[in-house]
Amino acid sequence: MRIGSIILVIAHLLFWIRRGVPALLGLALTAGCSSGPPTIVTETIDFVVGAKANDDNALSVDLVLVFEPGLVAQVAGLTAATWFKTKDQVLLANPTGLETRTFEVMPGQTGAHVELSSRDRNAFGAFLFADYAGQGPHRARIDGMSAVVLRLGGKGFVVAVPSS
């Protein structure tokens, strides 16, 4: 009886080694390829739109969330003019790597209050682009700020933390 039990245990061990080790090895390799935890700490964005924002013209603002670490540097290098000119193609080329939300604002308008979901905060980068008529980068990286106030002015914008 004792030899039969030992054979049964060995058979079970061989079964689980054959089935379990490749799965564990695959899981370990996948975990090893990770670039680390996402870095988004942003929870809210508040828009403050000046009376003469964009020289008194309507303005588009895009929130761009980057879900693939390799795209963060590419998005960080874009100006707003380039982003708005090429965003349709960039989004088509990266359907799972980027998400965007567009906000249309009018000068003097009471600004929007945006809350990022827990899924949004799983991104690796978060950027704001404003489609100003004038020259300039009109881009800000906000993923290191827990609360953001976006102050849209006549010729550009400023990103700040809320006052206490």
Side-chain angles (χ1 to χ4, degrees):
M1 183 80 155
R2 188 172 171 104
I3 292 178
S5 296
I6 292 172
I7 292 173
L8 185 60
V9 168
I10 291 172
H12 277 103
L13 282 173
L14 290 174
F15 172 79
W16 285 111
I17 288 172
R18 277 198 330 245
R19 302 244 7 221
V21 169
L24 289 174
L25 183 59
L27 182 62
L29 290 175
T30 302
C33 294
S34 173
S35 297
T39 58
I40 299 291
V41 297
T42 309
E43 296 178 5
T44 62
I45 304 168
D46 288 297
F47 289 69
V48 177
V49 187
K52 298 290 182 181
N54 197 28
D55 290 330
D56 206 21
N57 290 295
L59 182 62
S60 291
V61 177
D62 276 4
L63 167 63
V64 180
L65 299 168
V66 184
F67 289 95
E68 291 181 14
L71 294 174
V72 173
Q74 293 175 4
V75 173
L78 298 174
T79 64
T82 303
W83 168 254
F84 283 102
K85 190 181 303 180
T86 62
K87 86 172 178 178
D88 290 338
Q89 288 302 314
V90 172
L91 291 170
L92 284 172
N94 301 285
T96 61
L98 299 170
E99 283 186 17
T100 186
R101 292 198 198 117
T102 301
F103 304 90
E104 299 289 334
V105 297
M106 296 294 293
Q109 168 185 355
T110 301
H113 173 78
V114 179
E115 293 188 20
L116 276 66
S117 70
S118 58
R119 184 198 181 293
D120 294 339
R121 291 191 306 272
N122 282 329
F124 288 92
F127 298 85
L128 290 169
F129 290 94
D131 196 13
Y132 276 90
Q135 295 290 333
H138 308 302
R139 169 203 67 243
R141 185 167 183 180
I142 61 166
D143 49 59
M145 304 169 70
S146 62
V148 175
V149 176
L150 176 63
R151 297 184 189 283
L152 298 155
K155 306 272 185 207
F157 69 83
V158 174
V159 172
V161 295
S163 55
S164 310

